[in-house]
Amino acid sequence: MPKAAKTTKSGALESAKPAESKRRDQRKAVLVYLQTDLIQAAKETASANDEKLWQFVERTVAKALGWKKPRDSKRWVP
């Protein structure tokens, strides 16, 4: 009889759990579904501001939350 797959408390398979971030800046990936129009507009705006899409999204979310990035810091703080 095959061995049953381990599951998490939420019912997801253990193998589906995201790996711990090995990045030095501690950023992690997130999957978000957006309307195609929003994605295209975000890409165009990021490009117009000479930044990458992830930087634009990070800055926009932080601004919406009222978070600030202290001078000479790489982290956003509430």
Side-chain angles (χ1 to χ4, degrees):
M1 188 164 213
K3 191 174 181 181
K6 286 188 171 185
T7 57
T8 63
K9 287 182 182 180
S10 65
L13 293 177
E14 282 285 332
S15 60
K17 272 182 28 181
E20 288 298 316
S21 176
K22 294 181 179 163
R23 298 180 59 93
R24 282 185 256 150
D25 59 12
Q26 296 302 306
R27 287 186 294 134
K28 294 184 181 181
V30 63
L31 175 63
V32 179
Y33 291 93
L34 299 173
Q35 294 174 8
T36 307
D37 303 358
L38 290 174
I39 295 169
Q40 190 58 44
K43 285 179 179 181
E44 290 170 2
T45 304
S47 178
N49 291 329
D50 293 324
E51 61 186 347
K52 295 180 178 160
L53 180 59
W54 70 265
Q55 293 169 319
F56 170 76
V57 172
E58 184 177 76
R59 183 175 50 79
T60 304
V61 169
K63 184 176 180 180
L65 295 173
W67 287 28
K68 305 280 184 202
K69 187 184 259 188
R71 187 169 282 177
D72 299 329
S73 175
K74 294 183 179 184
R75 299 190 57 98
W76 293 93
V77 292

